[in-house]
Amino acid sequence: MIIHQFYDKGLAHGSYAVIRLGKMIVIDPARDPQPYYDFASFNNADIVGVIETHPHADFISSHLEIHLTTGATIYASKLLGAEYPHETFDDGDFIQLADIKLKALNTPGHSPDSICILVQDENGNDKAIFTGDTLFVGDVGRPDLRESVGNITAEKTELARQMYHSTREKLMTLPPNVVVYPAHGPGSLCGKNISLDLQSTIGRELRENYALKSMDELTFVKKLTADQPFMPKYFGYDVEINKQGAEPLDRSLASVPKINRNAQLQSGVLIVDSRPREEFRNGHLKGAINIQDGDRFETWLGSIAGPDESFYLIAATEASMDVLIRKAAKIGYEKNIKAALLAPDSGTEKLPEIDSTDYKFHPDHYTIVDVRNWGEVSEGKIFDHAITIPLPELRERLSEIPEDKPIVVHCAAGYRSAAATSIIAGKINSIPVYDLGEAVIEVGSRKAEVGS
């Protein structure tokens, strides 16, 4: 038996292939199906099945495209309400893959329709489990993503209670040597405490995972619902797309218009400029938002821009343009791109640089905006009098920023502050807006290094 993990660092997403005697099953595939086709070809295997552990919120799955291309059967829980051709896969159901079995376990908690897939070898021994977003290394899936979307909706407290029983009655009873293969790793917004490791065992999770420690249900619910990370704007949108099945990737990519850099742009349409901060600072279109190309571009794009917003996408090069369109497609936003283009010659708006000496000695002359997440701020402010507006909330809360002083924006390492500065400067013209970036400023007796 071959088990192979495909890992997308940008979305911290793990998908899998299981091969036995020339037959292959794909689990929770990413938007681009080509890596699975290539892996099957390399191993002289036929893709015969695709399993969805739940309708994913954080990426678009290629399950329907794989089915249309290969004829592979799609398996999903009957609770999902899938609108694509599929076979239901719930407690008591199994897939016979040559001489091994893949068994369904209903494990609601992250979502009402979540399943895990238990792999049994030819002797009936439990060997591995694909846990989707139910169990991660060091964590379990957040329970607050399905309060208003999907075939079944449920309040987070109810899902947290279901997660308590799914873990205790299904997963924690498995042999300790069963290998755990989760759908996400560190950096995913589907959990709050995910380990750096990309696989584990049931035994290790029983020893180390805070959510599997001995506690009563009420304590578990309180722990699980507290301090979850922010929810990007695109999450509910992706649940609905995955419930229907997405359009084939290459066809959708081909529909994205590419226009001349100096073409006339329609007024009132959002502009996303993906160039590095310094290039953006030295010349950009008025009102453009600087979401820099990088490991988390797609997450921040889907956190700042809503799924109902179209936008122009500005890239630094033709090559990076193609990469960025594919990244947008990972969350289903390629349809939102009104057109992609290189930086226009008319992009002459500039951002000012802060006078660090004046800021150092007169910090009270500035309004400081902290755009870190609430969990970071709860561990302590860097500047005591800063206004806290996390980046995903900023466009909706600009009216809370006073305009009586110059504005200084900071986060933790510079990426978010660049985006936030562009958002604020695009709407507030009466005073300068500064990105503190990676400046090191001494404030009183304290030294603060600010800059994601």
Side-chain angles (χ1 to χ4, degrees), residues 128-246:
I129 188 163
F130 299 97
T131 53
D133 286 18
T134 299
L135 178 64
F136 302 129
V137 182
D139 202 358
V140 293
R142 63 189 294 176
D144 58 338
L145 301 183
R146 291 289 294 276
E147 294 192 303
S148 60
V149 296
N151 187 53
I152 300 173
T153 59
E155 293 185 355
K156 63 183 178 182
T157 53
E158 174 57 29
L159 282 175
R161 285 192 288 269
Q162 292 180 20
M163 180 68 82
Y164 180 83
H165 292 282
S166 291
T167 51
R168 269 88 187 145
E169 296 166 12
K170 299 282 184 73
L171 303 183
M172 293 170 64
T173 62
L174 294 171
N177 63 337
V178 169
V179 181
V180 173
Y181 294 106
H184 291 294
S188 169
L189 294 172
C190 291
K192 61 180 177 179
N193 192 48
I194 304 177
S195 166
L196 294 175
D197 295 326
L198 302 182
Q199 68 180 66
S200 184
T201 64
I202 292 294
R204 173 183 166 181
E205 294 311 297
L206 289 171
R207 294 190 303 272
E208 301 178 8
N209 192 319
Y210 81 95
L212 305 191
K213 300 296 183 184
S214 178
M215 67 185 89
D216 60 37
E217 183 178 304
L218 180 59
T219 301
F220 178 90
V221 169
K222 289 181 178 179
K223 283 181 177 289
L224 187 55
T225 55
D227 302 321
Q228 288 291 352
F230 72 93
M231 188 188 308
K233 294 179 172 68
Y234 76 94
F235 269 22
Y237 173 71
D238 278 17
V239 168
E240 295 299 336
I241 289 181
N242 283 322
K243 184 168 165 283
Q244 299 167 16

Side-chain angles (χ1 to χ4, degrees), residues 246-451:
E247 180 181 356
L249 177 62
D250 287 345
R251 187 169 74 199
S252 194
L253 293 176
S255 69
V256 177
K258 296 180 180 178
I259 61 176
N260 183 277
R261 66 192 306 158
N262 293 317
Q264 183 69 35
L265 304 187
Q266 181 180 326
S267 63
V269 177
L270 181 68
I271 300 170
V272 173
D273 191 326
S274 67
R275 293 176 299 153
R277 178 173 54 191
E278 289 306 315
E279 290 185 34
F280 181 89
R281 181 198 300 272
N282 292 326
H284 59 271
L285 293 174
K286 185 174 179 59
I289 298 178
N290 187 205
I291 308 177
Q292 300 169 82
D293 186 11
D295 287 345
R296 294 286 186 262
F297 172 81
E298 50 269 58
T299 295
W300 288 114
L301 174 64
S303 300
I304 294 170
D308 57 346
E309 288 186 282
S310 63
F311 58 90
Y312 289 106
L313 176 63
I314 294 177
T317 65
E318 294 282 0
S320 65
M321 182 187 297
D322 289 335
V323 170
L324 287 162
I325 293 171
R326 294 183 76 87
K327 286 185 176 182
K330 293 194 313 189
I331 63 168
Y333 269 36
E334 78 280 11
K335 294 295 188 184
N336 300 49
I337 302 174
K338 190 170 185 64
L341 65 155
L342 300 179
D345 295 332
S346 57
T348 57
E349 293 285 317
K350 298 182 186 295
L351 292 175
E353 292 201 38
I354 192 168
D355 181 339
S356 58
T357 300
D358 183 70
Y359 181 77
K360 172 182 176 181
F361 290 105
H362 304 287
D364 55 321
H365 291 178
Y366 299 82
T367 295
I368 305 171
V369 181
D370 182 347
V371 297
R372 295 177 301 154
N373 298 328
W374 288 114
E376 296 168 277
V377 175
S378 68
E379 295 177 0
K381 283 190 171 184
I382 296 174
F383 302 105
D384 291 338
H385 301 296
I387 299 171
T388 298
I389 308 179
L391 177 57
E393 304 173 19
L394 184 59
R395 292 178 67 202
E396 292 74 33
R397 297 178 57 192
L398 287 171
S399 62
E400 299 176 28
I401 303 174
E403 298 183 38
D404 57 337
K405 301 177 185 178
I407 297 167
V408 173
V409 184
H410 84 83
C411 57
Y415 185 95
R416 287 172 290 176
S417 66
T421 300
S422 68
I423 291 170
I424 298 170
K427 295 296 183 182
I428 296 178
N429 303 309
S430 58
I431 48 175
V433 182
Y434 300 109
D435 178 5
L436 195 54
E438 297 176 351
V440 177
I441 306 292
E442 290 186 12
V443 184
S445 61
R446 182 174 56 178
K447 187 176 183 182
E449 184 171 351
V450 184

